């Protein structure tokens, strides 16, 4: 019997190790812009909430505390303009990657069922389909897909890796198409609060969904907006007919967010000031790196939102990776996100201010 791991592709980041060694050999050290992991402090009010809840000897609930569900529904209404959201419309998850990887399995998909995701996309969409033994395909416009046996449609706006944002009209038309063909939509919106040259909108907004949550679920994370990647804190919101079975499955599987983390999420979702402070940090780093890359002959495409610059010099992505590694700068090759990215690199601006200054200095020398 084949091991489950045999269904999976080679872990892409392992391919980057030789270039990481080259970059690390730079006299002034590596500037790692390859992975979008937060480096700034967890907000103090979030740390305090976690500490205050540290004495939590009992099991937490999968659905979360009423306070957590209140915090999620309140944030969805306040920040996303969602309407009619109740506790039945939300479900905490143990980080968004876990949800993405195991969703097709938890939905009961398998051989003969199709999962679709953008041509340039987060690799875990494909991993989730593979784990369920489902078929998978990529798209440029999901409305061009054959809806036969299409059971799960992933949207990702703002996009990882490109930073592209789907317009309100595009989202509205896609949701209408999916409903007409009885296709379940999961919209990965984890970068929604990080719009720069665009104002991202959620599928939960009534202008997009017509006031109905039927057949749509949005995925949100606190990893980027609140620097909580280490807490594994995320949630989904949308159609209760989809979320209720997921809740039952996750109860049986013990897929629960820790009680201290739940308390921390309540604090994080109730405060917008720390999000604006973090946005300001990222905006400054983004502008500095963008200008330096342009000065070195790169072209920046899309990148109107998220934590990345999607850059190209019209050469193999691996040539670019190697060239930048010689400068002590590590970036992600675009083909990690699909063959269509083979002439681009993804440049994260999640490094510290000091490391970003170092990268700018090297790029403009």
């Amino acid at each position: 019997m084949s091991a489950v791991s045999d269904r999976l592709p080679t872990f892409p980041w392992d391919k980057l190790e030789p270039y990481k060694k080259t970059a690390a050999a730079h006299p002034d050290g590596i500037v790692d812009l390859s992975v979008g992991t937060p480096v700034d402090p967890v907000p103090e009010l979030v740390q305090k909430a976690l500490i205050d809840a540290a004495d939590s000897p009992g099991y937490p609930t999968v659905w979360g505390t009423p306070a957590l569900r209140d915090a999620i529904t309140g944030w969805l209404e306040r920040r996303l303009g969602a309407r009619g959201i109740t506790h039945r419309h939300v479900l905490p998850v143990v980080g968004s990657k876990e949800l993405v990887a195991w969703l097709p399995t938890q939905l009961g998909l398998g051989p003969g069922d199709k999962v679709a995701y953008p041509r340039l996309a987060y690799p875990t969409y494909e991993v989730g389909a593979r784990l369920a033994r489902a078929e998978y395909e990529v798209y440029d416009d999901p409305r061009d897909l054959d809806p036969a046996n299409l059971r799960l449609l992933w949207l990702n706006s703002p996009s990882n890796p490109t930073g592209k944002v789907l317009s309100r009209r595009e989202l509205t038309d896609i949701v209408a198409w999916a409903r007409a063909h009885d296709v379940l939509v999961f919209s990965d919106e984890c970068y929604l609060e990080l719009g720069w040259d665009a104002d991202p909108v959620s599928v939960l907004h009534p202008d997009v969904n017509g006031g109905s949550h039927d057949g749509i679920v949005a995925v949100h994370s606190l990893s980027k907006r609140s620097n909580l990647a280490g807490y594994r804190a995320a949630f989904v919101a949308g159609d209760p007919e989809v979320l209720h079975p997921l809740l039952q499955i996750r109860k049986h599987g013990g897929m629960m967010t820790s009680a201290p983390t739940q308390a921390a999420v309540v604090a994080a979702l109730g405060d917008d000031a720390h999000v604006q402070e973090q946005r300001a940090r990222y905006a400054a780093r983004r502008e500095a790196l963008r200008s330096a890359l342009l000065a070195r002959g790169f072209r920046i495409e899309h990148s109107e939102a998220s934590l990345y610059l999607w850059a190209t010099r019209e050469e193999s992505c691996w040539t670019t990776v190697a060239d930048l590694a010689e400068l002590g700068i590590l970036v992600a090759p675009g083909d990690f996100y699909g063959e269509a990215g083979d002439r681009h690199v993804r440049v994260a601006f999640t490094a510290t201010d000091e490391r970003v200054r170092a990268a700018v200095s090297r790029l403009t020398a």
Side-chain angles (χ1 to χ4, degrees):
M1 184 172 64
S2 295
V4 173
S5 61
D6 290 345
R7 305 177 201 166
L8 303 179
T10 301
F11 189 63
W13 294 97
D14 291 344
K15 302 176 186 176
L16 206 55
E17 282 303 313
Y19 302 92
K20 187 174 185 178
K21 290 180 181 178
T22 298
H26 190 278
D28 187 37
I30 188 173
V31 179
D32 192 343
L33 307 178
S34 64
V35 182
T37 187
V39 297
D40 299 301
V42 172
E44 287 188 13
L45 83 163
V46 178
Q47 294 189 48
K48 183 178 185 303
L50 184 85
I51 292 168
D52 289 347
D55 186 14
S56 298
Y59 289 112
T61 65
V62 173
W63 200 18
T65 62
L68 174 58
R69 283 176 261 139
D70 281 343
I72 294 172
T73 57
W75 181 83
L76 291 168
E77 292 183 356
R78 185 180 77 253
R79 296 294 295 128
L80 304 190
R83 295 293 178 265
I85 296 288
T86 70
H87 287 197
R88 294 176 57 248
H89 293 83
V90 300
L91 177 63
V93 295
V94 191
S96 58
K97 184 171 186 176
E98 168 263 302
L99 182 280
V100 173
W102 291 106
L103 180 65
T105 297
Q106 292 178 4
L107 290 174
L109 305 192
D113 297 321
K114 291 191 300 185
V115 176
Y117 49 86
R119 187 171 303 280
L120 285 166
Y122 184 45
T124 312
Y125 303 134
E126 177 185 332
V127 167
R130 284 175 176 254
L131 285 170
R133 299 182 185 269
E135 299 175 14
Y136 52 90
E137 61 182 302
V138 299
Y139 64 79
D140 295 308
D141 184 332
R143 293 166 293 182
D144 294 333
L145 293 166
D146 179 356
N149 299 319
L150 179 58
R151 299 285 305 281
L152 174 60
L153 173 64
W154 279 108
L155 304 181
N156 181 208
S157 176
S159 163
N160 174 17
T162 70
K164 181 180 179 180
V165 173
L166 294 173
S167 70
R168 191 174 302 236
R169 171 48 55 190
E170 286 174 312
L171 285 171
T172 301
D173 291 347
I174 291 168
V175 167
W177 177 88
R179 284 174 169 167
H181 296 287
D182 197 26
V183 175
L184 175 61
V185 172
F186 263 70
S187 180
D188 182 345
E189 303 174 353
C190 289
Y191 296 91
L192 190 136
E193 290 204 283
L194 295 165
W196 311 110
D197 302 323
D199 186 16
V201 65
S202 171
V203 295
L204 299 180
H205 196 285
D207 286 354
V208 172
N209 61 42
S212 167
H213 303 109
D214 292 349
I216 56 171
V217 178
V219 181
H220 285 273
S221 168
L222 285 86
S223 294
K224 308 303 194 286
R225 72 180 296 278
S226 299
N227 299 335
L228 297 190
Y231 285 44
R232 309 316 301 135
F235 58 89
V236 292
D239 190 343
E241 297 301 318
V242 176
L243 298 190
H244 180 70
L246 289 179
L247 172 59
Q248 303 311 310
I249 291 166
R250 296 172 70 83
K251 283 180 178 179
H252 283 288
M255 304 176 85
M256 59 190 77
T257 306
S258 76
T261 296
Q262 291 187 32
V265 171
V266 172
L269 291 179
D271 178 71
D272 295 331
H274 77 274
V275 180
Q276 296 308 313
E277 292 172 6
Q278 190 60 45
R279 276 181 55 88
R281 295 186 189 106
Y282 285 142
R285 294 166 186 167
R286 175 181 184 269
E287 183 53 36
L289 285 169
R290 183 178 181 278
S291 297
L293 289 166
L294 291 173
R296 198 170 180 87
F298 283 89
R299 186 175 75 253
I300 308 297
E301 295 184 352
H302 303 302
S303 307
E304 57 258 34
S306 82
L307 291 178
Y308 314 106
L309 295 167
W310 187 239
T312 181
R313 285 193 312 203
E314 297 297 345
E315 63 188 7
S316 165
C317 60
W318 288 100
T319 299
T320 305
V321 168
D323 179 60
L324 293 178
E326 293 294 334
L327 298 178
I329 300 171
L330 189 68
V331 298
D335 66 3
F336 276 12
Y337 309 94
E339 293 180 2
D342 64 358
R343 299 180 74 80
H344 291 74
V345 292
R346 193 194 74 169
V347 184
F349 41 90
T350 52
T352 63
D353 291 341
E354 183 275 329
R355 288 289 82 189
V356 167
R357 286 194 294 269
V360 169
S361 176
R362 298 173 196 181
L363 288 167
T364 57

